[in-house]
Amino acid sequence: DQQVKQNSPSLSVQEGRISILNCDYTNSMFDYFLWYKKYPAEGPTFLISISSIKDKNEDGRFTVFLNKSAKHLSLHIVPSQPGDSAVYFCAASARNFGNEKLTFGTGTRLTIIP
Amino acid sequence: DTGVSQDPRHKITKRGQNVTFRCDPISEHNRLYWYRQTLGQGPEFLTYFQNEAQLEKSRLLSDRFSAERPKGSFSTLEIQRTEQGDSAMYLCASSTGDFGTEAFFGQGTRLTVV
């Protein structure tokens, strides 16, 4: 069963505009959420995270929003830049339940059009 | 210390052979994780260590797979009697284990079983 879902396999956005990547989860024990960015032939690189006690976390051009009631989170990138083109993975863990392993979604390939 | 290091980067092996991968985590990190990623999927958890203790193993880790972290520093992942279905990217990650800190990933070992 897919506990973390990224329903959009790909997304194309014009440079300078906002990119919005979405993620849904089903496991109510998840309390820590992360976004990773991955370039081909490299390991995932951490981007931003959010704890379930918050509903928003911002870091420069990147903002993650968490809607616990809907079990939904989103990553906003603004303004989008060509270097943002990569595959983005949403991940979740149940840290307060002593479980640190990450459960990943299937990824969204973001392409920024110059 | 430049991050999590994995060796080799690529491995091609014949079906039925044994292979071993190595991961060197970030030096002050006591948690070490192994994940596997196949095409079109997100990374899937295999196992993790706190220092030298293996704390959790996924059911994905069949009895042909074994992981060790003998001195709580580097780790090895061995696959015996490889099968074509073992072809994947094997990712190692490390973390301090503190709440609110993320796992850092290595660049992965790409295994191809022919």
Side-chain angles (χ1 to χ4, degrees):
Chain A
D1 62 335
Q2 194 75 26
Q3 297 187 61
V4 177
K5 301 177 185 178
Q6 294 177 258
N7 292 319
S8 299
S10 63
L11 175 68
S12 294
V13 175
Q14 204 79 31
E15 181 179 0
R17 305 293 290 268
I18 184 171
S19 297
I20 300 177
L21 295 91
N22 293 303
C23 178
D24 297 292
Y25 62 96
T26 58
N27 189 338
S28 56
M29 292 174 70
F30 288 149
D31 57 11
Y32 193 65
F33 305 89
L34 308 90
W35 285 93
Y36 282 84
K37 175 179 177 180
K38 188 176 183 303
Y39 294 117
E42 293 186 10
T45 302
F46 171 75
L47 205 53
I48 192 169
S49 63
I50 187 166
S51 163
S52 60
I53 62 173
K54 295 185 175 181
D55 53 20
K56 176 182 175 181
N57 188 27
E58 191 171 355
D59 183 3
R61 296 186 299 114
F62 303 93
T63 303
V64 56
F65 295 92
L66 175 62
N67 182 333
K68 288 189 293 293
S69 61
K71 293 191 174 66
H72 177 83
L73 62 156
S74 61
L75 174 68
H76 293 209
I77 306 173
V78 57
S80 300
Q81 299 174 355
D84 296 330
S85 295
V87 177
Y88 288 77
F89 289 99
C90 170
S93 65
R95 293 196 173 195
N96 276 331
F97 296 91
N99 196 331
E100 282 200 8
K101 71 181 182 187
L102 295 174
T103 301
F104 284 83
T106 52
T108 296
R109 180 177 301 278
L110 176 65
T111 303
I112 305 302
I113 304 163
Chain B
D1 191 0
T2 56
V4 179
S5 176
Q6 291 188 245
D7 184 70
R9 292 289 308 277
H10 300 92
K11 178 72 177 178
I12 300 174
T13 191
K14 291 184 178 179
R15 191 174 51 186
Q17 298 295 304
N18 299 345
V19 293
T20 300
F21 311 140
R22 177 181 169 122
C23 171
D24 287 273
I26 294 172
S27 57
E28 64 267 24
H29 287 184
N30 55 30
R31 302 269 173 121
L32 185 147
Y33 312 81
W34 286 98
Y35 289 83
R36 180 174 69 185
Q37 185 178 17
T38 53
L39 200 61
Q41 300 297 316
E44 294 176 293
F45 171 79
L46 293 178
T47 188
Y48 93 94
F49 294 83
Q50 177 163 328
N51 299 314
E52 65 273 14
Q54 189 172 17
L55 296 187
E56 186 174 350
K57 290 167 53 173
S58 164
R59 62 181 183 274
L60 293 175
L61 214 66
S62 76
D63 55 7
R64 296 185 299 105
F65 287 70
S66 62
E68 293 183 344
R69 195 182 182 197
K71 297 182 180 179
S73 57
F74 73 92
S75 176
T76 58
L77 177 68
E78 181 183 15
I79 309 174
Q80 295 182 327
R81 305 182 303 281
T82 52
E83 302 172 356
Q84 285 188 320
D86 297 332
S87 295
M89 173 76 84
Y90 289 84
L91 294 162
C92 176
S94 70
S95 75
T96 61
D98 297 331
F99 191 94
T101 61
E102 69 277 9
F104 292 86
F105 281 81
Q107 293 185 297
T109 294
R110 167 74 66 190
L111 173 66
T112 303
V113 182
V114 297

